[in-house]
Amino acid sequence: MEKYYVEVKAYPTVGIILLGGLSDNINRIPRHTTAGIAYTSLDNDIYVKTDLYLSNERSGIINGKKVDINSSRSPFTVIDKFKGQILMRHPEFKEISFISENKNIISGSSDAGAAAIGECIESIFEYNMNIFTFENDLQKISESAGRSLYGGLTVNHANGKESLTDEILDADEFRDYIIVGCKFSEERKPSDTIHENIIKHDKYNDRVKNSELKSKKLIELADSGNIKGIFELAEEDTNEYHSMLMDVNVNIITEDMNKFINRLKELKNEFWNAYIVTGGTNVFVAVEKNNKEKIYNEAKNFNSVPVYLKVAGKPEVISKNF
């Protein structure tokens, strides 16, 4: 029997305006506007690869492990919505299955996984889809899926009820900059721990309001081609975000990470850099290309494993037979 499938590569993401707070644990609509970038390595070998295929027994495998079909974040929550329409074309099959694998991802793998599933489905239907409702479907898998779905720099306008991502800058606009991804450990606070606690902060409502103002400033910076300004805004947001998390007893920045960040602040007197810390124990440092080795070597002095990164584009269909 002929195999019908689509294979997609999608890229993970890093926040620029960081997300804290969701509408609920099912729909996972962000409570406020955020922004982010997709990333990969310099030779494009950081990604999620997903193979969506027709079968007669349903199977979902992520990184070699079977998924919990009953989980509210299972990719089947989206796949099943389109299952009937897809199988109408090939009634000899009864199910739709997938295999997904992360390769070398530092952080943001769930965004890439959701976007890869989305691109698989969208490539089958081509352009006959409501992208607004489709993105909200993908957010059930990962609340920031739009960042990976569009690639480059994106802004996600959200209020806890509705959410829509806009493309702001293509990946190529960041060509003169390198991001050094500095890994400090494999430990990571569950994203739901962050979302559930930051909303308890007495200044959370101010953060919601300010996120909208920051997004407008970000768009202005993008329109003027001010890449340094974009990363500087991200650093300011990182500091605010982690200060609030510490106030509600969610501490992500380790001792080594903190020492490294203080060193980055000292290095600003020698050359431009800006750092981002999301929900994992990683520090992402943006620099001009000619200074990338300086950050790389500094990171190793603080028990970190550094990797050179660049801003990535949209998901790509690798192969397809539908």
Side-chain angles (χ1 to χ4, degrees), residues 171-239:
D172 188 57
E173 298 297 325
F174 294 84
R175 60 188 174 275
D176 295 329
Y177 295 83
I178 293 293
I179 301 167
V180 186
C182 305
K183 301 181 286 185
F184 282 83
S185 80
E186 298 299 324
E187 294 182 17
R188 177 184 173 88
K189 287 281 191 302
S191 60
D192 285 343
T193 299
I194 294 172
H195 296 314
E196 291 165 6
N197 283 278
I198 196 169
I199 62 174
K200 300 174 184 176
H201 199 285
D202 58 6
K203 292 185 179 179
Y204 182 73
N205 287 338
D206 291 336
R207 178 160 178 80
V208 171
K209 294 175 185 176
N210 289 338
S211 68
E212 194 62 41
L213 298 175
K214 288 179 184 178
S215 73
K216 292 178 181 177
K217 181 179 179 181
L218 187 67
I219 292 169
E220 291 174 359
L221 291 167
D223 287 344
S224 63
N226 189 346
I227 304 300
K228 287 184 179 179
I230 289 170
F231 285 118
E232 287 165 0
L233 184 151
E235 180 179 303
E236 291 172 9
D237 191 71
T238 277
N239 291 332

Side-chain angles (χ1 to χ4, degrees), residues 96-161:
I96 300 174
S97 297
F98 72 90
I99 299 174
S100 187
E101 183 179 5
N102 300 352
K103 185 171 182 183
N104 303 320
I105 291 179
I106 301 169
S107 178
S109 60
S110 59
D111 290 347
I117 289 288
E119 180 63 24
C120 284
I121 294 171
E122 193 172 359
S123 73
I124 295 170
F125 287 95
E126 295 179 342
Y127 301 102
N128 188 26
M129 294 185 71
N130 183 324
I131 195 63
F132 176 78
T133 57
F134 187 52
E135 182 184 343
N136 286 178
D137 289 333
L138 294 175
Q139 284 176 317
K140 295 175 182 177
I141 305 174
S142 182
E143 53 270 21
S144 305
R147 296 175 185 173
S148 183
L149 191 64
Y150 292 102
L153 172 68
T154 53
V155 170
N156 176 255
H157 301 279
N159 58 13
K161 297 178 181 178

Side-chain angles (χ1 to χ4, degrees), residues 42-314:
L42 301 189
D43 53 4
N44 302 306
D45 72 346
I46 293 178
Y47 56 84
V48 166
K49 185 177 73 171
T50 297
D51 182 2
L52 188 79
Y53 61 95
L54 302 189
S55 61
N56 283 314
E57 290 186 11
R58 181 154 72 166
S59 174
I61 297 175
I62 297 177
N63 296 325
K65 296 181 180 179
K66 289 186 177 181
V67 303
D68 179 0
I69 293 174
N70 298 316
S71 169
S72 61
R73 297 188 68 180
S74 163
F76 285 116
T77 60
V78 179
I79 293 169
D80 286 350
K81 184 173 180 178
F82 300 91
K83 177 179 172 181
Q85 293 170 273
I86 294 173
L87 292 179
M88 280 178 62
R89 304 180 181 190
H90 302 284
E92 67 272 28
F93 293 95
K94 298 178 182 178
E95 294 290 348
I96 300 174
S97 297
F98 72 90
I99 299 174
S100 187
E101 183 179 5
N102 300 352
K103 185 171 182 183
N104 303 320
I105 291 179
I106 301 169
S107 178
S109 60
S110 59
D111 290 347
I117 289 288
E119 180 63 24
C120 284
I121 294 171
E122 193 172 359
S123 73
I124 295 170
F125 287 95
E126 295 179 342
Y127 301 102
N128 188 26
M129 294 185 71
N130 183 324
I131 195 63
F132 176 78
T133 57
F134 187 52
E135 182 184 343
N136 286 178
D137 289 333
L138 294 175
Q139 284 176 317
K140 295 175 182 177
I141 305 174
S142 182
E143 53 270 21
S144 305
R147 296 175 185 173
S148 183
L149 191 64
Y150 292 102
L153 172 68
T154 53
V155 170
N156 176 255
H157 301 279
N159 58 13
K161 297 178 181 178
E162 297 176 317
S163 171
L164 182 66
T165 298
D166 285 334
E167 303 171 67
I168 304 302
L169 279 181
D170 291 337
D172 188 57
E173 298 297 325
F174 294 84
R175 60 188 174 275
D176 295 329
Y177 295 83
I178 293 293
I179 301 167
V180 186
C182 305
K183 301 181 286 185
F184 282 83
S185 80
E186 298 299 324
E187 294 182 17
R188 177 184 173 88
K189 287 281 191 302
S191 60
D192 285 343
T193 299
I194 294 172
H195 296 314
E196 291 165 6
N197 283 278
I198 196 169
I199 62 174
K200 300 174 184 176
H201 199 285
D202 58 6
K203 292 185 179 179
Y204 182 73
N205 287 338
D206 291 336
R207 178 160 178 80
V208 171
K209 294 175 185 176
N210 289 338
S211 68
E212 194 62 41
L213 298 175
K214 288 179 184 178
S215 73
K216 292 178 181 177
K217 181 179 179 181
L218 187 67
I219 292 169
E220 291 174 359
L221 291 167
D223 287 344
S224 63
N226 189 346
I227 304 300
K228 287 184 179 179
I230 289 170
F231 285 118
E232 287 165 0
L233 184 151
E235 180 179 303
E236 291 172 9
D237 191 71
T238 277
N239 291 332
E240 176 188 294
Y241 182 78
H242 286 279
S243 175
M244 291 178 68
L245 287 177
M246 289 177 67
D247 288 344
V248 294
N249 298 313
V250 180
N251 298 321
I252 292 167
I253 298 176
T254 66
E255 183 178 351
D256 281 337
M257 290 169 70
N258 194 51
K259 289 178 181 178
F260 179 53
I261 288 170
N262 287 333
R263 177 59 179 152
L264 292 174
K265 291 176 181 178
E266 293 176 356
L267 289 172
K268 288 179 187 289
N269 295 319
E270 300 178 26
F271 60 91
W272 179 86
N273 72 75
Y275 60 85
I276 302 167
V277 181
T278 58
T281 52
N282 310 293
V283 181
F284 296 90
V285 188
V287 290
E288 292 168 290
K289 279 186 173 180
N290 61 317
N291 289 318
K292 68 180 188 296
E293 290 182 1
K294 296 176 183 176
I295 296 296
Y296 188 96
N297 292 330
E298 285 286 348
K300 290 193 290 187
N301 293 332
F302 294 87
N303 301 314
S304 173
V305 180
V307 180
Y308 292 137
L309 307 172
K310 65 180 179 181
V311 178
K314 299 179 179 181

